[in-house]
Amino acid sequence: AESVDAILQGMTWLGLEYDEGPFFQTQRFPRYKEVIQQMLKEGQAYHCYCSKERLEQLRAEQMAHKEKPRYDGKCRNGVSSPPAGVSPVVRFKNPLDGAVVVEDLVRGRVIFQNSELDDLIIARGDGSPTYNFTVVVDDMDMKISHVIRGDDHLNNTPRQMNMLKALNVTPPIYAHVPMILGPDGARLSKRHGAVSVMQYRDDGYMPEALLNYLARLGWSHGDQEVFSIDEMIKLFDVTNVHSSAAAFNPEKLLWLNQRYIKSSDPRHVAHHLSHHLGKLGVDPATGPDLVEVVKAQRERAKTLAEMAVNSAFFYQDIGEYDIKDAATHLKPEAQKPLTELRARLAALPAWDAPSIHNAVTGVAEAEGLKLGKIAQPVRVAVAGRAVSPPIDVTLTLLGRDKTLERLDAALEHIRKQAVTA
């Protein structure tokens, strides 16, 4: 159930709608058994009684002679006296001669000689069907037109095509896309980082950025890097996917994600940002409009997780100041300009960015300070560290009451530091 949920959650997050299903193969076992019985009756499949020990010995002998390991067809033409107490497997009677031609949309024409393909097992001794058989029945019953999958399945294709032809069904069109490699050139795996779609959501990626990156991985349209969903639908064609494997580049994905954070509708970004704030225990309803926070923060965040951490101070009290930033900016010489600024801010008739900007610059001019000498202590006072959006935007979003409250706390911090120094 967890695996199914992971697939459905990933599709929902990515905005990928589906028309039917999901279908569960475990619920289709009666249908698979029905087709197996049909194939046995028509001589397209047979029972095989060979023991595991015999098959292992056969494999060892073939490998010793540098032959390709394959079933030798011992039970293909029937067994005169089936051994008692043995539950046979069912094998497909693969053609002995000729070739299977796969007109692959990505790899082009691929030819397999039937003499290289053995009689694969389509039902185990307990009657349960095997993967290569169940997908054939599914493709047949569901009238699948195209099968697009990883090229690690290419060797299964001629077997599946032969079974479909035995069932008098025209095989679908196949496209085998190359596997994705990690930055080190090895096949992408857990050690390269995120292993599920939802992990990318939790790491702070926009769904459109991930879709764009995956579509662009092994496919191109001129030199264009950024595609809207509509553009991807219009321009993407599987026949233009490169046949060589593409390497996953985390830095490229991060760059693309930042582009989407900057350029997407702030309301859309805010919708996804709320998830990350929730993970930090932040309720966006307790502070400024989240859309306005996105507008203020989107130029300086590569991921939504980073933006959430940087924005939490708008909604939560500051637990502690950044030690280094407080030591640098909340010093005794900051006490006078911060006190003056607090008074000017408290007296403002309107709490808006222009009024706040004038108050800050007014104090800087009166004290003979560069703007940064007052803006940075204010940032540490209200945000807990020396990084925030422009100070007038930050204070506007934070609100008058919280701003004055945090300036008071910073002034008290400076006084305490002076006493203990």
Side-chain angles (χ1 to χ4, degrees), residues 345 351 378 382 394-396 398-408:
L345 292 174
W351 190 261
V378 174
V382 301
T394 298
L395 299 190
T396 301
L398 194 60
R400 189 195 303 263
D401 292 345
K402 282 186 179 179
T403 296
L404 299 180
E405 181 183 309
R406 292 183 187 184
L407 285 173
D408 287 339

Side-chain angles (χ1 to χ4, degrees), residues 214-227:
L214 290 175
R216 184 67 181 75
L217 197 61
W219 169 80
S220 61
H221 180 74
D223 295 327
Q224 187 172 343
E225 293 285 355
V226 182
F227 297 83

Side-chain angles (χ1 to χ4, degrees), residues 264-275:
S264 298
D265 184 332
R267 291 170 295 181
H268 180 64
V269 178
H271 169 73
H272 290 287
L273 177 62
S274 62
H275 166 78

